[in-house]
Amino acid sequence: MERVLGLGVGPLAAGTVGLLILLKVMQRLRHKQNLQDKVVVITGASSGLGKECARVFHAAGARLILCGRDQKRLQEVVEELRNNNNNGKIQNYAPCTVTFDLSSSSLVTSAAKDILKCHGHVDVLINNAGISYRGNILDTHVSVQRDVMETNYFGPVALTQAILPSMVDRRSGHIVVISSVQGKISIPYRSAYAASKHATQAYFDCLRAEVDRFGLQVSVISPGYIRTNLSINAVTGDGSQYGVMDQTTAKGWDPVDVARAVLKAVCHKQKDVVLAGPLPTAAVYLRTLWPALYFRLMASRAVKEQRVKEE
């Protein structure tokens, strides 16, 4: 009897593990959202990550509403997508466009009405648009801190709250925000940017809890560096353009891969996604588990970066 039981433990364990994996796969497939015909809004859609998100969601058959400040550049994206019809494998639609400046709350409220007029509702809202910052706090005017916060925090919040009631009424919707690893940890000379992303993380975490009873989904995507013009277009302490492609940005994630991760987060209703290498990921845990060491490392980094600038 003992011999029989002994021989059966291995196959039984393997079978149990296999069954659990199968159940997990079936669960993911059951909860996977089909984006065909879904109305997807993307802010900052004229370039960078927003443009790549437009490509992957268009390829998935979504009805896109592309938002940005430059109508000409948005129209160029529309024309590009129109010329890419996936060889007829998936039904594609010509995107709509809504032009507005995310840093103006009054314009955002008006734009939300225009967005809802396109198809009558929104299934997925992707808050992608934003600006970055490079500067020393001692040399940064508080107005710059406010400007970054207006675009990165108050803009997405205003747009989300304008679209949210229609989602609640329909008991359906998914809100996505592109945050940053710097929404979880802060590094020197990024104060305005990190602060805006910390606020973003907190707001959308609260939102997720509050709208769960309505069946709505909220995803926070926190990438590390992405190979876009974010650092070039960043503002400095006096409000001028930084104009430099940082080495960390140049070696960052391919925006195509990040866009696919956003698509996956929507399809599988992922709540919090961190897209970073081993060191940034370790730093996130270090900030929580051993804050004294983390603070020491950041102080050392600040000194090194200042020396490089002085040289």
Side-chain angles (χ1 to χ4, degrees), residues 93-162:
Y93 303 93
C96 299
T97 61
V98 178
T99 308
F100 65 98
D101 188 341
L102 197 64
S103 65
S104 173
S105 297
S106 60
L107 292 179
V108 171
T109 302
S110 176
K113 296 178 182 178
D114 293 335
I115 288 171
L116 289 171
K117 287 178 183 177
C118 291
H119 297 288
H121 70 279
V122 171
D123 292 300
V124 182
L125 169 60
I126 302 177
N127 291 293
N128 164 72
I131 59 174
S132 193
Y133 156 89
R134 302 289 188 276
N136 188 320
I137 290 175
L138 289 172
D139 302 324
T140 300
H141 195 277
V142 70
S143 64
V144 174
Q145 303 276 3
R146 286 197 182 100
D147 289 344
V148 174
M149 192 66 76
E150 284 289 347
T151 299
N152 289 0
Y153 175 71
F154 286 110
V157 166
L159 183 58
T160 295
Q161 294 195 182

Side-chain angles (χ1 to χ4, degrees), residues 184-200:
K184 297 180 179 292
I185 56 173
S186 301
I187 62 176
Y189 309 112
R190 304 289 192 277
S191 61
Y193 182 75
S196 69
K197 294 302 183 179
H198 271 67
T200 295

Side-chain angles (χ1 to χ4, degrees), residues 107-311:
L107 292 179
V108 171
T109 302
S110 176
K113 296 178 182 178
D114 293 335
I115 288 171
L116 289 171
K117 287 178 183 177
C118 291
H119 297 288
H121 70 279
V122 171
D123 292 300
V124 182
L125 169 60
I126 302 177
N127 291 293
N128 164 72
I131 59 174
S132 193
Y133 156 89
R134 302 289 188 276
N136 188 320
I137 290 175
L138 289 172
D139 302 324
T140 300
H141 195 277
V142 70
S143 64
V144 174
Q145 303 276 3
R146 286 197 182 100
D147 289 344
V148 174
M149 192 66 76
E150 284 289 347
T151 299
N152 289 0
Y153 175 71
F154 286 110
V157 166
L159 183 58
T160 295
Q161 294 195 182
I163 298 294
L164 189 61
S166 64
M167 289 185 170
V168 171
D169 288 343
R170 296 178 67 242
R171 292 298 194 272
S172 177
H174 195 142
I175 297 168
V176 180
V177 62
I178 307 300
S179 183
S180 167
V181 171
Q182 292 183 53
K184 297 180 179 292
I185 56 173
S186 301
I187 62 176
Y189 309 112
R190 304 289 192 277
S191 61
Y193 182 75
S196 69
K197 294 302 183 179
H198 271 67
T200 295
Q201 179 79 51
Y203 173 87
F204 285 92
D205 280 352
C206 290
L207 178 66
R208 183 186 301 108
E210 293 182 22
V211 301
D212 180 72
R213 62 196 173 101
F214 300 118
L216 306 188
Q217 305 296 321
V218 176
S219 299
V220 178
I221 315 296
S222 300
Y225 296 105
I226 309 173
R227 292 199 305 272
T228 66
N229 290 330
L230 191 66
S231 69
I232 293 176
N233 297 326
V235 295
T236 61
D238 62 3
S240 62
Q241 186 173 333
Y242 183 59
V244 177
M245 173 66 78
D246 290 336
Q247 289 187 2
T248 49
T249 301
K251 297 177 181 178
W253 282 66
D254 187 327
V256 175
D257 293 332
V258 179
R260 288 171 179 163
V262 175
L263 179 71
K264 179 182 177 183
V266 172
C267 288
H268 294 288
K269 301 179 182 179
Q270 296 173 320
K271 293 177 171 56
D272 195 81
V273 179
V274 177
L275 302 172
L279 287 178
T281 302
V284 171
Y285 289 103
L286 185 64
R287 172 63 178 82
T288 301
L289 301 174
W290 196 353
L293 177 58
Y294 173 81
F295 297 147
R296 195 177 309 132
L297 291 172
M298 289 302 104
S300 176
R301 174 172 176 157
V303 171
K304 291 179 181 178
E305 288 193 23
Q306 186 60 37
R307 285 176 181 169
V308 171
K309 292 177 182 178
E310 292 173 351
E311 292 174 357

Side-chain angles (χ1 to χ4, degrees), residues 83-100:
N83 294 329
N84 183 9
N85 59 8
N86 295 313
N87 298 318
K89 294 179 181 179
I90 295 178
Q91 176 65 50
N92 295 127
Y93 303 93
C96 299
T97 61
V98 178
T99 308
F100 65 98

